[in-house]
Amino acid sequence: MGSTNAFTPQAKQPLFSFGVISDVQHADIPDGRSFLGVPRFYRHSILVLQRAVQKWNNCKKHKFVINFGDIVDGFCPPDQSLSTVRKVVDEFEKFDGPVHHLIGNHCLYNLPRDKLLPMLKIPSAEGRAYFEFSPTSEFRFVVLDGYDISAIGWPEDHPNTLEAVKFLQEKNPNTEKNSPEGLVGLERRFLKFNGGVGKEQLKWLDSILQEATQMRQNVVICCHLPLDPGSSTDVALLWNYEEVMNLIHRYNCVKVCLAGHDHKGGHSIDSHGVHHRVLEAALECPPGTDAFGYVDVYKDRLSLIGTDRMESTEMCFDPQAER
């Protein structure tokens, strides 16, 4: 009996852990509200980030941190965009380890890709913001660029911008392309503040998932935009989430999809047993409250331990999905 008990704590040790936060959307402006009237605390959100970094560092066990995008708000005065992005990045840099940044729509309202990506140290070629990394041999993290096809962030004459503008003209009849008026159900995602994953990125994703399958790795997908209607409101979804998920579902290696963007947060398990967890926004924390967390990674599950407004979530891998 004694020897079994001695090994029990060891069995419960995670393979590794990482910190998570999303939608800080800091700006040195008075508090405001979303289009739906939800309060937003622009100055306080950087304090949430500071407390997150302090807590992650005190833990002394996190291998890295993932920021799920939107570090500066679109209402940030344009002459302060550069300095505010730098200010928030500096806070992330205080973490004792690597930080992996995703880009969101608010990041792109403030700075074009060619300025933004180097500041976030995103390993990119030709302005692309998708990449992957393996913290251990058993796991691979795939970061998608949800604004690959987008009417924001690229130069106006860029093929990706032109493709996005054409797409929005076909899908959204409103003059104001951020308005879902008249759009029904899932059509309400066809808004300018969302975006899509392009053909080149889909090809790249396919090759990564093939490789991960051969290497018997579990895959965690990270994207600013949610990929499942069960975890998100209609207006927050990736334009071509079905196309991306159809590709993902051709493999059994993807276990969890993590996202931001839809500030209230959410969790669902799709028809193939993949977990979708949308993280609660730091921006919507009233003074004195927090929304951040860390994830303990095990062979058979991801365990999100949330602080305050970020809900803790146990994400057990589907035993039916054989690797």
Side-chain angles (χ1 to χ4, degrees):
M1 280 288 286
S3 62
T4 311
N5 289 342
F7 284 108
T8 307
Q10 202 57 36
K12 290 181 179 174
Q13 285 297 309
L15 298 170
F16 62 93
S17 307
F18 63 96
V20 293
I21 194 166
S22 192
D23 297 86
V24 173
Q25 286 183 224
H26 175 60
D28 187 13
I29 55 174
D31 296 340
R33 289 179 183 273
S34 71
F35 293 118
L36 298 172
V38 180
R40 292 182 161 183
F41 304 94
Y42 300 109
R43 289 186 175 124
H44 175 255
S45 66
I46 199 165
L47 303 181
V48 177
L49 173 60
Q50 287 169 350
R51 289 192 288 264
V53 171
Q54 197 171 13
K55 199 160 181 182
W56 294 328
N57 282 340
N58 289 346
C59 250
K60 295 194 188 321
K61 70 169 190 173
H62 303 314
K63 212 171 171 76
F64 55 90
V65 161
I66 303 180
N67 155 44
F68 282 82
D70 282 358
I71 59 173
V72 174
D73 195 82
F75 284 131
C76 178
D79 63 329
Q80 292 174 28
S81 286
L82 198 64
S83 61
T84 309
V85 169
R86 193 167 286 129
K87 178 180 165 188
V88 181
V89 168
D90 285 349
E91 293 300 332
F92 274 106
E93 295 285 317
K94 291 175 186 172
F95 171 67
D96 298 332
V99 178
H100 301 286
H101 290 280
L102 279 64
I103 58 167
N105 49 310
H106 284 267
C107 308
L108 296 169
Y109 297 148
N110 278 278
L111 293 175
R113 280 173 179 260
D114 59 350
K115 283 203 172 69
L116 180 69
L117 270 50
M119 290 180 77
L120 300 179
K121 296 183 180 161
I122 292 175
S124 71
E126 297 172 357
R128 299 189 191 105
Y130 53 89
F131 58 97
E132 50 90 24
F133 62 98
S134 295
T136 65
S137 58
E138 302 104 317
F139 275 84
R140 189 177 291 216
F141 284 69
V142 178
V143 174
L144 297 181
D145 181 352
Y147 293 90
D148 186 9
I149 306 302
S150 169
I152 48 176
W154 297 103
E156 277 182 33
D157 58 351
H158 194 282
N160 294 14
T161 308
L162 301 175
E163 188 179 334
V165 168
K166 184 171 180 280
F167 180 85
L168 284 171
Q169 279 167 349
E170 288 167 6
K171 299 286 188 183
N172 187 332
N174 296 307
T175 312
E176 170 48 72
K177 296 300 179 192
N178 275 328
S179 168
E181 201 177 323
L183 299 175
V184 179
L186 293 168
E187 290 177 352
R188 290 165 62 82
R189 73 185 186 277
F190 300 131
L191 304 172
K192 190 177 177 180
F193 62 63
N194 297 328
V197 167
K199 288 182 177 58
E200 284 298 310
Q201 187 176 177
L202 283 168
K203 268 190 226 163
W204 170 82
L205 175 61
D206 191 20
S207 69
I208 296 293
L209 297 183
Q210 274 181 43
E211 198 177 282
T213 302
Q214 286 160 6
M215 294 173 73
R216 300 183 66 77
Q217 291 176 313
N218 289 318
V219 175
V220 178
I221 301 278
C222 303
C223 184
H224 180 67
L225 294 161
L227 300 173
D228 186 66
S231 65
S232 166
T233 50
D234 297 337
V235 295
L237 290 160
L238 184 83
W239 288 343
N240 60 333
Y241 76 87
E242 288 168 303
E243 191 177 12
V244 172
M245 288 314 302
N246 285 342
L247 170 55
I248 285 170
H249 288 154
R250 283 181 18 213
Y251 299 90
N252 291 323
C253 57
V254 175
K255 305 301 179 187
V256 176
C257 297
L258 300 174
H261 194 54
D262 196 23
H263 292 182
K264 67 176 178 20
H267 176 231
S268 64
I269 304 172
D270 70 25
S271 58
H272 287 64
V274 177
H275 287 265
H276 295 261
R277 181 67 171 88
V278 179
L279 302 175
E280 291 81 0
L283 173 67
E284 292 182 1
C285 294
T289 65
D290 287 315
F292 58 84
Y294 66 89
V295 177
D296 281 338
V297 178
Y298 301 87
K299 279 185 177 167
D300 61 347
R301 71 192 192 280
L302 260 56
S303 183
L304 168 62
I305 292 93
T307 296
D308 204 353
R309 292 167 66 91
M310 185 172 287
E311 282 189 35
S312 295
T313 313
E314 202 70 14
M315 294 169 270
C316 299
F317 303 161
D318 184 357
Q320 303 302 312
E322 289 297 318
R323 284 201 283 164

